[in-house]
Amino acid sequence: MDRDILLILKDMSEKIGVNAYIVGGYVRDKLLNLESDDIDITVEGDGIKFAFMLNEILNGDIEVHDKFETAKIKTRDFELDIVSARKEHYERPGMLPVVQRASLADDIKRRDFTINMLALDVKTNQIIDIYNGADDIKNKLIRVVHDKSFVDDPTRIFRAIRYSGRLGFKIEQHTEWLLRKSISDGDIFNVSADRIMNEIYLILKEKNPEPIVKLMKYYQLDKELFCGIKINTTNLNTSLEKGNTLLYRFLLLFYNATNEDADCLIRKYNLKREYLSGLSDILNIKMNMSNLNENVSIFNTLKDKRIEAISAVHAMEDLNIKQAIEKYYDLAKLKRLEINGDDIKRLGLQPSPIYKEILDKILMDKILGKIKDREDEIKTLLHYVEKVKRGEKI
Ligand code: ATP
C-alpha cells in the first residue's frame, strides 16, 4: 500500500508539474522501520489544488482550510495532510506564527527538530536531508536548529519530551540546555491554556505515556503549570476496555489533586464537564474509602461514579480497595432490574421521585440476594407501592 501511494504521488507531481515532498514523521518513522499511517505532504505551489487532484484518485474524505492553505484527506488506510510549502515568523513568542508561501528549504527550516526535517522527493524517491536529520536518527538525538526555537514556540518543550519518551531518544546537550533555560525563564506562560492542555492530551494519547510523563516531572514542568499538583507517574500505560482511556489517564495523572487543586485546574484550563466530575468522583471515593468494606456501602459509594474514576482508584490503591472495587463490578452486574417505571405506573402511582426511591430499594434487595428474578421484583414492588399508597415510609 505504501508503494501504491508513493507511485500515485509521483504520478501526480509529474502530471501537474509541481514539486511535492513527504516530510516529517512519516520519513523519520520509515528510517526507524516504524509503521506510520500519517503522511505529511508539502507542495511547492498550490497545495490545495494538489490535494483536490490527489483525492480524485484516492477517493477519500477531503477537508480544506483555505485560510491556512492546508488540506486533509482521509482514506481507509491513510491520513494525508497537504500544505503549500511555507515560511513562518513569530511576531510574539508563544503566539501562532505568521505564514507565507515559500520553497521546500524554508518549509523545512520552520520545523521543530532535525529528526522531523527530512523530506522525501516523491518524483525521485530521494531523501533530502539539509540538517543531518538521518545522523540524529541514527544516534537517537533530538536537536533544534536554532537557539530561539523553544522561545518562539514553547509547545516544542512538550514535543521534545514526547519524542524522547516515545522513541527512547536523548535530547542533545545544547538543545537540552535551551530547553531547561526556556522552562526556567517561564516561556511556557506565553502559550494559551488550551494549547498547553492539548499537549498534555497528546502525551496521554501516546501508546506509552509513562516515560514521557516521567520526563515532564524530571524537567519540573509540573511545578508551575498544574496548580502545584504533584503529578503521578505510575499506571499511565494502562488503557480502559470500557470507558474513555484519555480521561482515565488524565485522572491518574492528577490523582493527587485536592479539592482546591481540582477547582484551580478546571478553571485554569477550562476543562470539560466530565473532567470535573471525574476528579470530584475520585475525591469522593477517597473520602469514603473506609466504607468500602461491605456490599451495601461499597455499592452506595461507587454506584454513581464514573467508570474512569473507579478504575483510576483501582489502579492506584492497595489490595483491600482493589478487592472492594472488584466486588462492586460483580455487584454491578446485578445492577439491572428487570422491572422499570412503567411497572410502577401500571400499579397506579403518579410519576414522581418516589419511583427512583422504590427502584433503588428493590435493587439493593437484589444486591443483598433477598430477591432473585422478575417475579420476586414484582412482588417486592407491590409491597412498596401499597406502602406508598397507605402514606407509609418505604
Ligand atoms: P507524530 O508521529 O507524533 O504524528 P509527526 O512528526 O507527524 O509525529 P505532527 O504533530 O503530525 O508530528 O506534525 C507534523 C510535522 O510538523 C512534524 O514532523 C514537524 O516537522 C512539524 N511540526 C509540528 N508541530 C510543530 C511545531 N510546534 N514547531 C515546528 N514544527 C512542528
Side-chain angles (χ1 to χ4, degrees):
M1 189 64 210
D2 271 30
R3 232 177 64 82
D4 293 350
I5 191 98
L6 287 174
L7 283 177
I8 292 172
L9 288 168
K10 177 177 184 324
D11 222 43
M12 283 275 316
S13 68
E14 276 168 357
K15 202 152 79 193
I16 58 175
V18 297
N19 296 322
Y21 307 87
I22 300 184
V23 286
Y26 183 87
V27 189
R28 177 196 71 221
D29 288 348
K30 273 280 152 279
L31 293 185
L32 287 166
N33 277 325
L34 297 174
E35 282 296 314
S36 170
D37 43 21
D38 261 347
I39 306 182
D40 294 304
I41 298 167
T42 293
V43 177
E44 278 181 324
D46 190 341
I48 306 266
K49 186 171 154 203
F50 186 90
F52 274 114
M53 292 183 72
L54 182 60
N55 199 41
E56 273 172 27
I57 300 168
L58 295 178
N59 222 349
D61 292 324
I62 187 163
E63 217 178 88
V64 173
H65 257 295
D66 278 322
K67 187 169 159 224
F68 300 110
E69 293 203 42
T70 63
K72 189 185 273 300
I73 298 177
K74 283 185 188 168
T75 72
R76 209 161 43 93
D77 303 303
F78 288 109
E79 204 169 293
L80 298 109
D81 283 293
I82 298 132
V83 301
S84 305
R86 71 230 357 246
K87 60 180 168 193
E88 294 175 343
H89 70 273
Y90 290 84
E91 293 196 331
R92 291 220 329 261
M95 301 304 280
L96 292 172
V98 179
V99 170
Q100 68 196 102
R101 267 202 204 175
S103 65
L104 174 76
D106 290 317
D107 191 278
I108 294 287
K109 199 167 157 191
R110 74 183 170 89
R111 292 172 184 273
D112 46 6
F113 310 113
T114 57
I115 59 167
N116 289 336
M117 288 174 142
L118 293 147
L120 178 78
D121 184 332
V122 301
K123 269 191 214 150
T124 60
N125 219 7
Q126 295 283 308
I127 287 193
I128 299 163
D129 183 7
I130 305 172
Y131 295 96
N132 294 325
D135 276 350
D136 283 341
I137 290 176
K138 205 158 64 200
N139 298 321
K140 299 177 177 273
L141 286 175
I142 292 159
R143 184 196 307 270
V144 291
V145 293
H146 67 90
D147 284 6
K148 273 187 67 204
S149 190
F150 294 116
V151 181
D152 281 344
D153 181 354
T155 64
R156 291 173 187 156
I157 297 169
F158 290 101
R159 294 181 64 85
I161 61 168
R162 192 149 58 82
Y163 290 122
S164 170
R166 182 203 300 170
L167 302 170
F169 282 21
K170 265 184 71 150
I171 300 175
E172 176 274 332
Q173 209 177 14
H174 180 62
T175 302
E176 190 186 34
W177 185 85
L178 294 169
L179 178 138
R180 282 185 192 277
K181 177 158 174 24
S182 180
I183 293 173
S184 61
D185 288 351
D187 293 337
I188 197 72
F189 298 112
N190 295 326
V191 176
S192 69
D194 278 358
R195 288 185 69 207
I196 293 177
M197 203 31 79
N198 186 47
E199 294 298 326
I200 304 304
Y201 293 150
L202 288 175
I203 290 172
L204 295 178
K205 282 182 192 165
E206 288 275 330
K207 189 156 173 264
N208 293 315
E210 211 164 286
I212 305 171
V213 171
K214 287 198 167 113
L215 285 170
M216 252 167 66
K217 191 143 193 146
Y218 174 74
Y219 289 114
Q220 301 190 336
L221 270 166
D222 54 336
K223 230 169 123 195
E224 308 280 343
L225 282 181
F226 306 128
C227 301
I229 303 169
K230 282 201 162 51
I231 54 171
N232 161 53
T233 61
T234 61
N235 293 309
L236 291 161
N237 290 349
T238 51
S239 308
L240 282 190
E241 242 174 70
K242 290 194 185 115
N244 174 344
T245 293
L246 174 62
L247 171 56
Y248 162 68
R249 288 177 172 177
F250 176 93
L251 297 177
L252 284 171
L253 182 68
F254 296 114
Y255 194 75
N256 303 320
T258 62
N259 257 317
E260 299 78 61
D261 295 340
D263 276 352
C264 166
L265 202 64
I266 298 290
R267 252 182 295 116
K268 187 162 176 174
Y269 292 102
N270 195 15
L271 296 173
K272 286 200 216 127
R273 211 165 41 91
E274 69 244 42
Y275 286 73
L276 170 64
S277 67
L279 287 171
S280 59
D281 281 355
I282 287 187
L283 286 161
N284 188 295
I285 299 171
K286 278 185 183 170
M287 222 165 59
N288 290 297
M289 213 88 100
S290 58
N291 295 340
L292 295 179
N293 48 17
E294 49 90 25
N295 286 1
V296 174
S297 51
I298 292 176
F299 191 79
N300 277 332
T301 306
L302 300 179
K303 70 174 180 203
D304 299 321
K305 307 295 183 293
R306 297 195 73 94
I307 186 75
E308 294 84 359
I310 298 174
S311 305
V313 176
H314 182 269
M316 294 300 293
E317 297 296 334
D318 65 20
L319 194 62
N320 282 340
I321 303 297
K322 282 194 203 311
Q323 283 171 343
I325 289 175
E326 281 153 27
K327 189 164 241 173
Y328 169 74
Y329 289 142
D330 285 342
L331 295 174
K333 284 188 197 141
L334 292 170
K335 209 165 131 190
R336 285 184 153 274
L337 285 178
E338 292 178 54
I339 55 168
N340 60 31
D342 291 342
D343 296 292
I344 308 182
K345 205 167 178 183
R346 238 174 273 125
L347 294 173
L349 277 193
Q350 285 306 309
S352 78
I354 197 77
Y355 275 34
K356 182 171 180 328
E357 232 176 280
I358 293 175
L359 291 172
D360 275 356
K361 267 209 138 16
I362 300 174
L363 179 61
M364 203 53 77
D365 287 344
K366 194 162 186 180
I367 286 166
L368 294 171
K370 289 189 199 162
I371 55 178
K372 300 229 156 17
D373 50 20
R374 184 176 159 84
E375 206 178 314
D376 284 352
E377 287 179 22
I378 298 274
K379 246 191 249 161
T380 319
L381 175 61
L382 263 170
H383 167 73
Y384 286 133
V385 168
E386 287 309 320
K387 277 185 120 178
V388 174
K389 283 185 178 167
R390 288 198 297 271
E392 293 171 18
K393 257 181 83 73
I394 58 169

